[in-house]
Amino acid sequence: MTEPFRPAADGVRTRLFQIIFESDTPLAKGFDIALILVILASVLVVMLDTVDHLSAAYGEWFYWLEWGFTLAFTVELAVRLIILDKPLRYLRSFYGVIDVIAILPTWLMLLLPGTQTLVIVRLLRVLRIFRVLRLMQFVGEGRLLVEALLRSWHQIFLFLFTMFLLVTLFAALVYMIEPAEAGFSSIPTAIYWAIVTLTTVGYGDIVPVTPLGQAISTLVMLIGYSIIAIPTGVFSAEVIRSIRADRYSEQACPGCGHDRHEQRALYCLKCGTWLDEETPDPHLAEQARDTSRD
């Protein structure tokens, strides 16, 4: 996918544009990979700075490294804006917003101490790796997943609503059965237990102590295992339907009426008829020319 940006002028700006905004040359790929490594290093510094003994020993190093990364990213953003013909357009783009967010926390730290941990958001800039590795072709596959999710939201919502009813029912039963000393002090607390049990997570912080409560827990766990495949099946079916719709055409064959052809098919799979009724079959035209020559 080509980014809709152009350099502001020929010469040095165009050369910098090719390095920073494109990835079809070794130098441009090297720049992007180096940028990603620096981003990861800056995030690693922020993460290590939250470890107490490392912060106590190397806190000053972490502080200056973070400022070094921030200055580097600030200069990089400034260069991006200078070489573009419409810099504000870039600032409103997805990557532009991420670039700004990535440097704001450190600068805000001068005014609002404690915001330095927000620089973790610069990890989002690693999304540029999709351009470096030429993975933007998979955006279409992601679109299929989103479309499948949107088409199946009614079934998923019905499933979640049914689960909410079951969770509330079991929670109310266990709340009436179990003593408050077991942790079931309220129905919302019992709902928390029912959700944890139904999803088979089982934290164990709230456990039924009566035989009937334990029997209900067993039933809830079995229900959780039995229904776990329902939303997966619904979503998978919609994904398969999306793939088929994206691959196959609904155009009916003018010869036999068969309507399941691949998008790029030229002839019918069943009878071999030319599918495009608006244009003549080039094979027949070629045969006609050969016959006229004979």
Side-chain angles (χ1 to χ4, degrees):
M1 181 179 295
T2 304
E3 294 185 346
F5 303 113
R6 295 191 301 271
D10 295 333
V12 177
R13 291 186 180 183
T14 300
R15 182 57 178 163
L16 290 175
F17 178 89
Q18 294 172 348
I19 296 175
I20 295 178
F21 284 92
E22 298 178 359
S23 59
D24 53 354
T25 63
L27 189 58
K29 289 183 179 180
F31 171 81
D32 283 339
I33 293 174
L35 177 61
I36 290 171
L37 292 177
V38 174
I39 293 170
L40 294 176
S42 67
V43 173
L44 179 62
V45 167
V46 175
M47 295 171 62
L48 294 178
D49 194 26
T50 61
V51 181
D52 292 338
H53 68 278
L54 293 178
S55 179
Y58 307 103
E60 187 173 354
W61 283 95
F62 292 153
Y63 176 82
W64 290 113
L65 281 173
E66 172 52 35
W67 271 109
F69 288 131
T70 299
L71 290 175
F73 293 143
T74 304
V75 171
E76 181 226 349
L77 177 59
V79 172
R80 287 180 183 272
L81 298 179
I82 290 173
I83 65 178
L84 290 175
D85 61 337
K86 297 180 180 179
L88 293 180
R89 184 179 184 184
Y90 177 76
L91 287 178
R92 292 193 298 266
S93 67
F94 173 77
Y95 285 124
V97 172
I98 294 301
D99 288 349
V100 173
I101 294 177
I103 63 175
L104 274 182
T106 306
W107 291 111
L108 288 176
M109 188 173 57
L110 297 175
L111 302 176
L112 303 173
T115 60
Q116 63 270 22
T117 54
L118 294 179
V119 298
I120 203 76
V121 298
R122 69 172 48 139
L123 185 62
L124 293 175
R125 302 187 70 196
V126 181
L127 290 175
R128 295 183 184 278
I129 198 170
F130 284 96
R131 189 181 75 234
V132 180
L133 300 181
R134 304 288 183 152
L135 295 181
M136 293 308 292
Q137 57 181 312
F138 295 116
V139 170
E141 306 299 329
R143 176 183 55 80
L144 290 179
L145 295 179
V146 173
E147 290 177 353
L149 185 62
L150 292 177
R151 280 201 297 267
S152 60
W153 80 268
H154 291 90
Q155 296 93 322
I156 294 177
F157 175 78
L158 180 61
F159 170 79
L160 293 176
F161 183 73
T162 304
M163 290 302 98
F164 176 75
L165 293 179
L166 288 175
V167 162
T168 304
L169 174 62
F170 285 121
L173 288 175
V174 173
Y175 172 73
M176 291 187 297
I177 295 170
E178 295 295 321
E181 292 77 14
F184 297 90
S185 57
S186 63
I187 290 183
T189 303
I191 289 177
Y192 159 76
W193 162 85
I195 293 175
V196 170
T197 306
L198 185 69
T199 55
T200 68
V201 175
Y203 290 129
D205 51 346
I206 302 177
V207 180
V209 296
T210 64
L212 183 56
Q214 293 171 351
I216 294 177
S217 296
T218 303
L219 178 61
V220 172
M221 284 185 282
L222 291 176
I223 292 176
Y225 275 112
S226 63
I227 65 177
I228 195 171
I230 294 178
T232 304
V234 171
F235 181 69
S236 299
E238 290 296 336
V239 170
I240 294 174
R241 190 176 304 171
S242 297
I243 294 175
R244 289 179 176 175
D246 190 66
R247 179 178 178 182
Y248 293 99
S249 171
E250 298 296 331
Q251 179 184 5
C253 171
C256 65
H258 181 67
D259 60 354
R260 296 296 294 173
H261 301 97
E262 292 191 3
Q263 293 284 0
R264 293 179 294 179
L266 300 178
Y267 296 91
C268 177
L269 179 66
K270 296 292 185 180
C271 64
T273 303
W274 175 255
L275 295 176
D276 191 354
E277 300 181 68
E278 298 180 359
T279 59
D281 184 353
H283 183 67
L284 294 180
E286 183 178 351
Q287 287 183 340
R289 286 196 300 268
D290 293 340
T291 302
S292 61
R293 291 173 184 172
D294 295 339

